[in-house]
Amino acid sequence: MEGENLVYTLDEALSAMRFGKFQVLVLIYAGLGWFSEAMEIMILSFVGPAVKSKWNLSSGEESLLTTVVFAGMLVGAYSWGLISDNWGRRKSFFLISIVTSGAGLLSAFSPNYTSLVMSRCLVGVGLGGGPVFLSWFLEFVPVSYRGTWMVVFSAFWTAGTIFEASLAWIVMTKLNWRWLLALSSIPSFALLLFYGLAPESPRYLCMKGRTIDALRILEKISLINRAKLPPGMLVSDKKTTGQNEESSLLSQDTLPPSAIRKMITKFKSAFSSFFMLFSPKLIRTTLLLWVLFFANAFSYYGVVLLTSKLSSKESKCGSTILHSGNSKDNSLYVNVFITSLAELPGLLLPAIIVDIIGRKLSMAIMFILACVLLLPLAFHQSAVITTVLLFGVRVCATGTITVASFYAPEIYPTSMRTTGTGVASSVGRIGGMVCPLVAVALVSACHLSAAVILFEVVFVLAIASTLLLPFETRGQQLRDNVDVLDS
């Protein structure tokens, strides 16, 4: 019995030290990453219409400015996940910050439409790193605090959307879209500036067998939090099956070492985390999660872009228009700002229910509410009622995307956490790409009822996929390997 007390796991260490000042610093850095992503996404509501007017673009060319960002995010989310799971979270942060800040600033100086499309696509690649920031923060949080603090983390997204709507309201009415793009890239530069202060995830280090490095970080946490580590020695709580078993087999080199063989081994090891997503224990979860993320992105960005489209002076679809004659140029900024405030109750709702009824049921309930609130928009409504209904739908969409964003990394083990979450996020980006080309295009053509029906179908698919997910993660410790997952 005494021998057993001489060792402790990472979860036991984090629980003993509680959530303190160190985690707050981690929260601020990771949150800044999400704040930056939210700003760059919200900017799509303002830059598209402004550039269309300035350069006389077609509706298809305007939509492409949004689509290429999501296309970049699709590539980025998958790529950063693989890099993070194989070479570390910190290295991902450095590369993500360089790509996002550099491309964001360059886009402000775009001389023509083609260069703007290319630079915004690169911004999207950088923005695909959002799941890495989320997973990194999650790995520092003790299990008993996880639900509450992951919702707090999501507040940075909300703050980013509201801040961008406010910034656009000020900048676009006094300056122009180039200034908005330049100012919106500042948070990404801040990530690069404070990169040296970001520690590597101790859970990632333990998974890689680097327990001494993990212990150094745990000692820093104990010092800053003024809490003691458990007595004994830190041990890596891994069981050599699943990906670790596969990685160990890949690393066995019975032949004389050669540069080519080493490259092949590294290549296979890097992609093993992706192939494990389709292992017997995870394939059902992976596919259902993809449907969930697709529906989440489609509905969330659909509401954002729908608000922008209905606020446009060019809209000629009758009484459903949010724009009114006396609101002049401010109508877009006012309506987007109002619906952006829906993010606040959209955070409060899951914060109240997620640790009481669980992740799955929370998402299902909010999707059902979104269905009910959206349905009246299939018929002509007044500007006020339309705004109120869009506000309510965005509350629910924010809530579901908040819960899904930390449910995914809770499901996947450490060895594939950012890969699994990144790939799911990539599928979500497809939803973001399709939405402006399909749903918003229907609204532009005055087929609002058809657009609403399409959203309702997507919501029903989301409800079904959520209820069919096999794992509930409420109160469960994070897993390090596939073999410890249980239904």
Side-chain angles (χ1 to χ4, degrees):
M1 293 295 290
E2 290 183 4
E4 293 180 2
N5 294 329
L6 296 177
V7 297
Y8 61 88
T9 64
L10 179 64
D11 283 309
E12 291 168 342
L14 291 174
S15 296
M17 294 184 292
R18 302 182 301 280
F19 192 101
K21 292 180 180 178
F22 188 94
Q23 280 88 347
V24 170
L25 295 174
V26 171
L27 169 66
I28 292 171
Y29 187 83
L32 185 60
W34 261 46
F35 184 91
S36 172
E37 181 177 344
M39 287 182 65
E40 294 286 0
I41 290 297
M42 277 299 296
I43 211 173
L44 301 174
S45 297
F46 311 107
V47 172
V51 173
K52 179 182 181 182
S53 175
K54 181 72 174 178
W55 289 342
N56 297 316
L57 303 179
S58 66
S59 296
E61 288 173 324
E62 180 191 0
S63 295
L64 186 61
L65 282 171
T66 297
T67 301
V68 294
V69 174
F70 289 114
M73 293 176 79
L74 189 155
V75 174
Y78 171 72
S79 302
W80 299 128
L82 281 178
I83 292 170
S84 176
D85 277 338
N86 289 280
W87 290 283
R89 301 348 184 189
R90 288 190 78 247
K91 290 180 181 178
S92 294
F93 295 158
F94 182 71
L95 296 172
I96 290 167
S97 302
I98 288 178
V99 172
T100 309
S101 59
L105 186 60
L106 283 175
S107 65
F109 297 95
S110 299
N112 52 49
Y113 174 74
T114 302
S115 61
L116 181 60
V117 168
M118 292 174 64
S119 59
R120 296 313 294 174
C121 184
L122 278 176
V123 170
V125 173
L127 296 180
V132 179
F133 288 100
L134 186 147
S135 299
W136 177 68
F137 172 65
L138 181 73
E139 291 173 348
F140 282 93
V141 182
V143 61
S144 56
Y145 298 86
R146 206 165 61 221
T148 301
W149 282 105
M150 290 310 293
V151 173
V152 172
F153 173 82
S154 299
F156 281 87
W157 179 280
T158 299
T161 59
I162 295 174
F163 182 81
E164 184 66 30
S166 305
L167 184 66
W169 194 350
I170 297 169
V171 174
M172 293 290 283
T173 54
K174 295 181 179 179
L175 299 170
N176 57 47
W177 59 271
R178 294 185 185 275
W179 279 95
L180 184 62
L181 287 173
L183 292 172
S184 298
S185 68
I186 291 176
S188 296
F189 278 105
L191 285 171
L192 198 57
L193 181 64
F194 295 106
Y195 163 74
L197 301 177
E200 183 55 88
S201 163
R203 189 175 292 274
Y204 167 82
L205 293 172
C206 280
M207 187 268 297
K208 291 294 184 180
R210 297 165 57 187
T211 52
I212 295 176
D213 293 331
L215 180 60
R216 290 195 187 102
I217 295 173
L218 290 177
E219 288 170 346
K220 288 182 181 178
I221 297 175
S222 67
L223 182 64
I224 295 175
N225 286 4
R226 296 182 179 180
K228 293 183 178 180
L229 284 166
M233 180 178 67
L234 174 67
V235 293
S236 180
D237 190 30
K238 57 183 181 180
K239 301 174 183 178
T240 314
T241 53
Q243 185 196 342
N244 285 332
E245 182 177 288
E246 184 177 349
S247 297
S248 64
L249 289 172
L250 288 169
S251 63
Q252 292 174 0
D253 200 350
T254 56
L255 297 176
S258 67
I260 296 177
R261 184 175 179 79
K262 286 181 179 179
M263 287 176 63
I264 293 173
T265 300
K266 286 182 179 180
F267 180 83
K268 288 181 178 179
S269 178
F271 283 89
S272 63
S273 57
F274 173 77
F275 294 121
M276 286 304 294
L277 296 176
F278 306 99
S279 64
K281 287 190 176 182
L282 285 175
I283 186 169
R284 176 184 169 190
T285 299
T286 294
L287 296 178
L288 289 172
L289 208 58
W290 288 2
V291 175
L292 173 62
F293 269 69
F294 180 94
N296 255 328
F298 189 95
S299 57
Y300 177 84
Y301 298 120
V303 175
V304 173
L305 295 172
L306 204 59
T307 305
S308 173
K309 215 63 185 168
L310 293 177
S311 300
S312 173
K313 291 187 292 182
E314 298 173 3
S315 180
K316 300 176 182 177
C317 302
S319 61
T320 55
I321 304 172
L322 296 184
H323 168 74
S324 59
N326 59 1
S327 59
K328 297 184 180 179
D329 293 337
N330 286 335
S331 64
L332 170 61
Y333 311 109
V334 172
N335 291 320
V336 172
F337 180 79
I338 290 173
T339 52
S340 293
L341 292 177
E343 303 262 342
L344 296 174
L347 284 175
L348 183 61
L349 181 60
I352 294 171
I353 66 176
V354 73
D355 278 331
I356 298 175
I357 64 176
R359 279 55 161 158
K360 290 172 54 180
L361 194 54
S362 295
M363 288 188 286
I365 289 173
M366 289 185 285
F367 273 126
I368 292 171
L369 284 173
C371 270
V372 173
L373 291 169
L374 187 66
L375 192 57
L377 287 180
F379 311 97
H380 291 300
Q381 305 294 337
S382 69
V384 174
I385 293 177
T386 300
T387 303
V388 170
L389 290 173
L390 286 173
F391 184 94
V393 175
R394 186 155 175 181
V395 169
C396 298
T398 300
T400 55
I401 210 166
T402 296
V403 177
S405 66
F406 64 82
Y407 174 75
E410 284 182 332
I411 285 180
Y412 289 117
T414 304
S415 56
M416 61 193 342
R417 179 163 296 123
T418 57
T419 299
T421 307
V423 173
S425 179
S426 292
V427 176
R429 302 315 174 194
I430 297 175
M433 291 167 59
V434 171
C435 186
L437 297 175
V438 181
V440 178
L442 287 173
V443 177
S444 299
C446 297
H447 299 304
L448 185 59
S449 297
V452 170
I453 292 172
L454 178 60
F455 278 115
E456 293 285 353
V457 171
V458 171
F459 281 137
V460 170
L461 287 174
I463 294 166
S465 64
T466 300
L467 294 176
L468 290 172
L469 282 163
F471 300 114
E472 173 56 60
T473 58
R474 178 177 56 132
Q476 298 295 315
Q477 292 186 345
L478 295 180
R479 312 298 188 184
D480 286 333
N481 299 287
V482 176
D483 65 299
V484 295
L485 290 171
D486 45 31
S487 302

